[in-house]
């Protein structure tokens, strides 16, 4: 079995109207044996930028600590917050630096990026484990339930969803996709990033 | 086969580990203490993957007990490394690492080791009582460096039986007596269903008064 699938877990991100959402399940297992139903794999990087790190559990923690450190250093040196695009390229190059001994993580980045005029634009991106970026305009998926997530998201997503509708869409997509995957599920968490606040909710999910 | 359990309750963490030291199919010892006391309020149960390890290739320091050298070496090697470093921190800073900080440091040691030529194959359960926020905490750590805070945990073949029992019977507000009764259920189930079940366990408890050993 691949190291990417050893601990299970999935992440999805979606674009809405002036908002983005990122959601993940909460399971951590060793293959089919469930260990925890409260393993966070989506982390805030700034007030308007989140990163999801599905893949090998040890690398989730290692990469989160690494990105937290580098974002903090960036914020201190530049005296401003990092842009989602810049952060995505930082994640990508970090992964490619380990091209021949990779971190077993397929990151998902979601945030609102500030244009030179000050307007906020939704941004999402996904990567493979060596840092090849997929800039999508609609939604991105990753993790052991990614094939199922694609199917449900393709059916449910529509353009220009308001924050509450986007929340409903991403929640239903995640919940229904992970129910068809034995390695994902056991609870879920959703973050909807809007221009003035982030709405974070823990979902009640099937626990089987 | 090696098995360890741990569970939290109202103001305490119980950590239990079997006491057999085996090499292949041979039992070398049946009173091995595999739970280290890392500090006044911190316990660490350690167990290694069965089978040959890199221990007999690289053994920087020989354990004092000659029988120990037959026990899968790198688990003890790693446990002593952790024990000394946690102690060093306490000597240098005059206060001990909190359980969460200790778990992070230990995790990092394993994560770094994982991508080295000779990785440690050690699985750990870290049980501690945090004197700052007065909460019992338990961390499940595997040899890859995966760490997660859990209400109850197990390692080894026993985990396949114990975790489902703990799902049913674990109560975060249970008294120590109730917690020990739940632990007994786990041990009995493993003895009943596991072919290569261990017959003796060492049980230690950590609460606001510190660590102590209890008899089942």
């Amino acid at each position: 079995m691949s190291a990417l699938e050893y601990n299970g877990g999935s992440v999805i991100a979606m674009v809405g109207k002036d908002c983005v959402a990122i959601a993940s399940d909460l399971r951590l297992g060793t293959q089919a044996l469930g260990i925890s139903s409260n393993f966070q794999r989506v982390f805030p990087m700034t007030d308007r930028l989140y990163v999801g790190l599905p893949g090998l559990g040890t690398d989730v923690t290692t990469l989160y600590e690494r990105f937290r450190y580098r974002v903090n250093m960036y914020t201190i040196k530049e005296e401003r917050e990092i842009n989602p695009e810049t952060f995505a390229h930082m994640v990508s190059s970090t992964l490619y630096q380990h091209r021949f001994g990779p971190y077993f993580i397929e990151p998902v980045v979601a945030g609102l990026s500030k244009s030179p005029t000050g307007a906020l634009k939704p941004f999402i991106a996904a990567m493979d484990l060596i840092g090849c970026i997929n800039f999508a305009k609609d939604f991105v998926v990753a993790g052991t339930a990614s094939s199922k997530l694609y199917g449900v998201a393709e059916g449910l997503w529509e353009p220009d969803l308001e924050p509450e509708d986007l929340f409903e869409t991403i929640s239903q997509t995640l919940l229904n996709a992970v129910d068809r995957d034995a390695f994902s599920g056991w609870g879920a968490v959703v973050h909807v990033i809007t221009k003035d606040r982030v709405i974070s909710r823990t979902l009640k999910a099937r626990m089987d | 086969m090696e098995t360890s359990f741990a569970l939290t309750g109202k103001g305490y963490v119980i950590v239990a580990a079997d006491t057999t030291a085996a090499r292949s199919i041979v039992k070398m010892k049946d009173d091995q203490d595999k739970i280290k006391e890392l500090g006044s309020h911190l316990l660490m149960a350690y167990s290694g993957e069965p089978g040959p390890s890199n221990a007999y290739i690289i053994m920087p320091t020989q354990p004092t007990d000659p029988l120990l050298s037959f026990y899968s070496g790198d688990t003890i090697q790693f446990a002593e490394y952790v024990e000394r470093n946690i102690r060093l921190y306490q000597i240098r800073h005059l206060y001990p690492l909190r359980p969460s900080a200790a778990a992070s440091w230990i995790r990092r040691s394993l994560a770094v080791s994982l991508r080295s030529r000779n990785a440690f194959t050690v699985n750990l359960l870290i049980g501690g009582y945090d004197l700052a926020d007065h909460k019992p905490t338990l961390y499940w750590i595997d040899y890859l460096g995966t760490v997660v805070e859990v209400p109850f945990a197990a390692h080894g073949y026993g985990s396949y039986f114990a975790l489902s029992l703990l799902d049913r019977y674990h109560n975060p507000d249970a008294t120590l007596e109730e917690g020990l009764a739940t632990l007994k259920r786990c041990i009995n189930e493993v003895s009943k269903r596991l072919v290569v079940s261990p017959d003796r366990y060492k049980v230690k408890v950590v609460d606001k008064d510190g660590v102590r050993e209890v008899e089942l």
Side-chain angles (χ1 to χ4, degrees), chain B residues 11-13 40-43 96-102 127-139 149 206-210:
Chain B
Y12 65 84
V13 186
S40 61
H41 292 79
L42 196 61
L43 290 172
L97 278 173
R98 289 170 70 177
S100 59
Y129 186 85
D130 196 332
L131 291 167
D133 62 8
H134 308 288
K135 280 197 178 84
T137 41
L138 172 62
Y139 294 90
E149 203 205 321
V206 55
D207 58 16
K208 65 174 178 10
D209 305 318

Side-chain angles (χ1 to χ4, degrees), chain A residues 142-181:
Chain A
T144 55
S146 59
S147 53
K148 295 100 184 171
L149 282 163
Y150 266 124
V152 192
E154 208 72 75
L156 294 185
W157 185 85
E158 46 191 91
D160 295 325
L161 288 164
E162 295 295 330
E164 276 307 315
D165 296 329
L166 185 67
F167 167 76
E168 200 61 28
T169 307
I170 198 169
S171 302
Q172 290 297 338
T173 305
L174 182 73
L175 253 18
N176 288 290
V178 298
D179 282 354
R180 280 283 174 182
D181 182 30

Side-chain angles (χ1 to χ4, degrees), chain A residues 6 28 30 33-36 39 56-59 61-62 65 102-104, chain B residues 107-108 111 114-115 140 142-150 159-160 163:
Chain A
Y6 181 74
L28 178 110
T30 50
L33 175 70
I35 300 295
S36 171
F39 185 73
L56 192 67
T58 180
D59 291 343
T61 315
T62 305
E65 287 172 358
Y103 288 118
F104 295 96
Chain B
R107 185 211 86 84
R108 192 146 200 101
L114 181 69
R115 284 181 161 85
W140 179 95
D142 75 359
Y143 72 101
L144 300 166
T146 317
V147 65
V148 60
E149 203 205 321
V150 282
S159 68
Y160 292 99
L163 286 178

Side-chain angles (χ1 to χ4, degrees), chain B residues 13-26:
Chain B
V13 186
I14 305 172
V15 181
D18 74 281
T19 53
T20 50
R23 174 120 232 147
S24 182
I25 54 164
V26 183

Side-chain angles (χ1 to χ4, degrees), chain A residues 74-93:
Chain A
Y74 184 99
T75 315
I76 294 165
K77 283 181 178 164
E78 297 276 327
E79 297 183 317
R80 65 187 166 92
E81 282 192 341
I82 196 167
N83 252 331
E85 285 90 341
T86 320
F87 178 74
H89 281 103
M90 192 209 82
V91 172
S92 168
S93 65

Side-chain angles (χ1 to χ4, degrees), chain B residues 103-130:
Chain B
S104 289
W105 186 86
I106 295 165
R107 185 211 86 84
R108 192 146 200 101
S109 304
L110 280 171
V112 168
S113 149
L114 181 69
R115 284 181 161 85
S116 71
R117 189 187 283 259
N118 279 312
F120 289 110
T121 51
V122 193
N123 297 316
L124 309 164
L125 297 172
I126 311 284
Y129 186 85
D130 196 332

Side-chain angles (χ1 to χ4, degrees), chain B residues 51-83:
Chain B
S53 66
N54 57 15
Y56 42 85
I57 306 167
I58 302 164
M59 187 76 107
T61 51
Q62 284 292 326
T64 43
D65 184 345
L67 271 180
L68 286 184
S69 56
F70 290 100
Y71 178 67
S72 61
D74 51 357
T75 58
I76 285 197
Q77 230 52 52
F78 183 77
E80 289 182 352
Y81 170 73
V82 168
E83 184 184 34

Side-chain angles (χ1 to χ4, degrees), chain A residues 18-169:
Chain A
D18 302 321
C19 59
V20 284
I22 184 167
S24 156
D25 68 323
L26 292 171
R27 181 180 181 271
L28 178 110
T30 50
Q31 311 216 50
L33 175 70
I35 300 295
S36 171
S37 56
N38 193 207
F39 185 73
Q40 301 291 339
R41 58 182 114 249
V42 174
F43 307 100
M45 283 293 127
T46 70
D47 292 346
R48 292 197 189 88
L49 173 62
Y50 277 66
V51 63
L53 303 168
L56 192 67
T58 180
D59 291 343
V60 173
T61 315
T62 305
L63 281 184
Y64 166 56
E65 287 172 358
R66 212 185 166 100
F67 294 148
R68 183 180 58 187
Y69 167 76
R70 294 203 56 185
V71 166
N72 283 344
M73 292 305 287
Y74 184 99
T75 315
I76 294 165
K77 283 181 178 164
E78 297 276 327
E79 297 183 317
R80 65 187 166 92
E81 282 192 341
I82 196 167
N83 252 331
E85 285 90 341
T86 320
F87 178 74
H89 281 103
M90 192 209 82
V91 172
S92 168
S93 65
T94 304
L95 291 175
Y96 199 78
Q97 278 173 6
H98 299 269
R99 171 65 180 81
F100 296 109
Y103 288 118
F104 295 96
I105 296 284
E106 294 178 319
V108 170
V109 179
L112 295 176
S113 74
K114 210 173 227 165
S115 67
T117 56
L120 291 170
K121 195 165 75 45
F123 174 87
I124 55 164
M127 269 156 261
D128 67 4
L129 76 167
I130 50 169
C132 174
I133 314 178
N134 166 21
F135 299 104
K137 289 187 196 67
D138 43 9
F139 53 82
V140 286
V141 297
T144 55
S146 59
S147 53
K148 295 100 184 171
L149 282 163
Y150 266 124
V152 192
E154 208 72 75
L156 294 185
W157 185 85
E158 46 191 91
D160 295 325
L161 288 164
E162 295 295 330
E164 276 307 315
D165 296 329
L166 185 67
F167 167 76
E168 200 61 28
T169 307

